[in-house]
């Protein structure tokens, strides 16, 4: 930590991606003279993983006029863009439209701007660059936070805004072996390796893999890109359409995955008969997604994950059409080959690795010979399998417990963190992907902006008691 060490704060927020930063912004804007610490191990405060990219080809997957940081003003980002043409120009955007998909780095500029404004308000908002490795409850109900350097600070309330972790993968490069397996899709070093001549394999066909294609389109001159996933499902591209009315009754939501499927399929048929696209139908239930999930019992939640997750995620988390166009062009040029199947094994040699996989729906085995394999299978959400020192320490102290579906942490209403027994830990809060087990829909700005505002309001009320 820097010279702000050994300080006492009303609220310490660990993680300065969108979520943690917006909690700090709301607290500072309330102007109650609070002492707030915003701590991150990375240097790009306010950006986090998603908006820390420097590649202007990496676009938001939500339209500009829907990406406002405040739940009561979703056009706020769009208006900010109108008054900051220099940020758009620097990212190569010549024309601003409300329905455009803006480079993610510009959204990062916006959040950093909000953070800068918040720091200038009365009260204390300290930006602390360090990795927190331990959290110790004190007898007086406060917490002590320990930085990687051994430095300490104390806080009355702590918010864990830790975001997503790298993809989980049991594979490790063996000592002395050429590095051929990688699992950090956001690392510049990994990008450089993938651009080397020779074929490569990316496992996973989600939004992160599509991002990589945009980067590799520019950097990879020799060798094919192979993409492989079990279901071979890609995020669907957005398409403009008029909003569709809510068709589920909030007071009588489906109780099973099968009933949900039935209701949505029926509505899709109805919409199709009127020439309406499926997208607004899916969007119409978004405000109810968390309620639907919470209405399922654990067996139904598991059933949903087993049978519907892939389909749901690729239709719900869509991509900008420009991005899908690049994927299709790369395929047409023969630079990209997409596979559907299950990996059976890897055989690394000096120069290459032979990957054996079974194409879906067959019993045959096929082989790919590639230089590198990158796992892009989505963040590891089973905290017990993470080798993150802070998370391991939290688990050991029973200040964090996996939720029963291993989608995140065990949490209660309002983002309170629960221990292994399910009891709320006073003073310890979270938001974002840690809440996926309880809410499922808890990863994108349209949900996180509400969570950040609500958590800040709760902290303010709590501190006033
Ligand atoms: C590639 C990508 C693109 C996306 N695009 C969109 C989009 O277009 N629209 C949308 O709505 N959503 C998008 N999302 C979803 C995205 O997750 C959210 O919008 C949002 O950025 C999540 O922010 P967060 O703060 O919760 O997590 P993160 O951004 O992951 O931030 C967590 C922060 O915590 C820090 N941290 C973790 N542990 C520690 C520790 N021990 N000590 C100190 N610091 C720590 C990390 O360094 C990191 O900065 C995207 C996600 C990804 C991964």
């Amino acid at each position: 930590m820097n010279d702000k060490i050994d300080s006492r704060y009303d609220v310490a927020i660990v993680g300065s991606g969108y979520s943690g930063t917006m909690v700090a912004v709301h607290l500072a804007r309330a102007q109650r003279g609070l002492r707030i610490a915003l701590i991150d191990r990375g240097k790009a405060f306010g950006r986090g993983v998603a908006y820390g990219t420097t590649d202007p080809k990496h676009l938001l997957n939500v339209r500009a006029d829907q990406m406002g940081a405040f739940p009561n003003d979703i056009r706020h980002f769009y208006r900010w863009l109108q008054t900051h043409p220099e940020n758009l120009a620097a990212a190569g955007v010549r024309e601003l439209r409300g329905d455009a998909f803006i480079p993610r780095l510009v959204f990062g500029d916006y959040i950093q701007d909000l953070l800068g404004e918040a720091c200038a308000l009365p009260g204390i908002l300290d930006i602390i660059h360090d990795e927190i490795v331990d959290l110790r409850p004190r007898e007086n109900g406060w917490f002590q936070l320990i930085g990687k350097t051994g430095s300490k600070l104390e806080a009355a309330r702590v918010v864990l805004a830790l975001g997503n972790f790298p993809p989980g993968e049991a594979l490790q490069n063996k000592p002395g072996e050429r590095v051929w397996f990688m699992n950090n899709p956001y690392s510049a070093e990994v990008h450089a390796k993938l651009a080397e001549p020779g074929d490569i394999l990316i496992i996973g066909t989600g939004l992160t893999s599509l991002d990589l294609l945009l980067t590799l389109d520019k950097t990879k001159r020799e060798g094919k890109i192979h993409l492989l996933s079990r279901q071979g499902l890609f995020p669907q591209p957005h398409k403009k359409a008029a909003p569709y009315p809510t068709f589920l009754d909030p007071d009588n939501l489906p109780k099973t995955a099968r009933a949900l499927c039935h209701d949505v399929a029926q509505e899709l048929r109805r919409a199709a008969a009127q020439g309406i696209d499926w997208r607004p139908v899916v969007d119409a239930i978004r405000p109810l997604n968390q309620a639907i999930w919470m209405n399922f019992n654990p067996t139904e939640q598991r059933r949903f994950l087993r049978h519907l997750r892939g389909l749901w995620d690729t239709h719900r988390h869509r991509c900008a059409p420009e991005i899908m166009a690049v994927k299709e062009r790369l395929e047409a040029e023969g630079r990209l080959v997409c596979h559907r199947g299950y990996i059976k094994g890897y055989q690394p040699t000096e120069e290459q690795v032979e990957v054996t996989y079974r194409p879906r729906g067959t019993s045959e085995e096929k082989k790919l010979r590639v230089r590198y394999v990158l796992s892009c299978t989505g963040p590891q959400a089973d905290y017990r399998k993470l080798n993150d020192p802070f998370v391991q320490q939290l688990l050991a102290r029973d200040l964090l417990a996996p939720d029963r579906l291993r989608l995140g942490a065990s949490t209660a209403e309002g983002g309170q963190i629960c221990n292994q027994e399910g009891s709320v830990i006073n003073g310890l809060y979270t938001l974002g992907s840690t809440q996926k087990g309880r809410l499922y829909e808890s990863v994108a700005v349209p949900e996180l902006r509400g969570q950040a505002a609500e958590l800040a309001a709760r902290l303010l009320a709590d501190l006033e008691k």
Side-chain angles (χ1 to χ4, degrees), residues 46 55 58 65 71 81 113 151 201 253 311 393 428:
D55 189 339
H58 291 165
D65 58 7
L81 289 171
D113 197 37
S151 53
L201 170 64
L253 290 172
L311 206 59
Q393 199 60 17
L428 193 55

Side-chain angles (χ1 to χ4, degrees), residues 18 45-64 67-69 76-97 100-115 445:
Y18 171 82
F45 278 72
R47 293 183 184 272
V49 178
Y51 314 114
T53 174
T54 52
D55 189 339
K57 292 230 175 263
H58 291 165
L59 304 181
L60 292 172
N61 58 15
V62 178
R63 296 178 199 279
M67 271 300 274
H76 188 269
F77 174 52
Y78 181 54
R79 290 203 307 282
W80 182 91
L81 289 171
Q82 289 173 321
T83 54
H84 292 78
E86 65 287 1
N87 294 70
L88 282 171
V93 181
R94 282 192 213 97
E95 189 203 357
L96 173 62
R97 289 191 336 264
F101 298 95
I102 301 294
R104 291 209 302 269
L105 68 90
V106 181
F107 189 78
D109 296 346
Y110 163 63
I111 301 301
Q112 282 199 327
D113 197 37
L114 292 177
L115 179 59
V445 166

Side-chain angles (χ1 to χ4, degrees), residues 17-64:
Y18 171 82
S19 302
T21 303
M22 285 313 297
V23 175
V25 167
H26 283 290
L27 290 175
R29 283 178 159 222
Q31 301 202 29
R32 305 272 177 86
L34 292 183
R35 293 173 62 90
I36 308 154
L38 180 63
I39 311 156
D40 203 294
R41 60 183 167 208
K43 289 195 177 141
F45 278 72
R47 293 183 184 272
V49 178
Y51 314 114
T53 174
T54 52
D55 189 339
K57 292 230 175 263
H58 291 165
L59 304 181
L60 292 172
N61 58 15
V62 178
R63 296 178 199 279

Side-chain angles (χ1 to χ4, degrees), residues 173-229:
N173 293 292
K174 294 207 181 89
E177 195 176 77
R178 178 181 74 85
V179 172
W180 58 269
F181 178 79
M182 301 174 292
N183 76 342
N184 186 351
Y186 307 112
S187 141
E189 203 184 317
V190 168
H191 294 180
K193 279 196 160 58
L194 296 176
E196 289 173 14
D199 288 7
I200 55 167
L201 170 64
I202 298 172
I203 309 169
T205 52
L207 287 164
T208 307
S209 303
L210 290 182
D211 261 6
L212 269 171
L213 290 185
L214 300 177
T215 304
L216 292 170
D217 182 30
K218 287 184 294 181
T219 58
K220 190 150 185 72
R221 296 278 149 254
E222 267 177 62
K224 282 189 174 30
I225 306 163
H226 293 274
L227 281 190
L228 182 146
S229 68

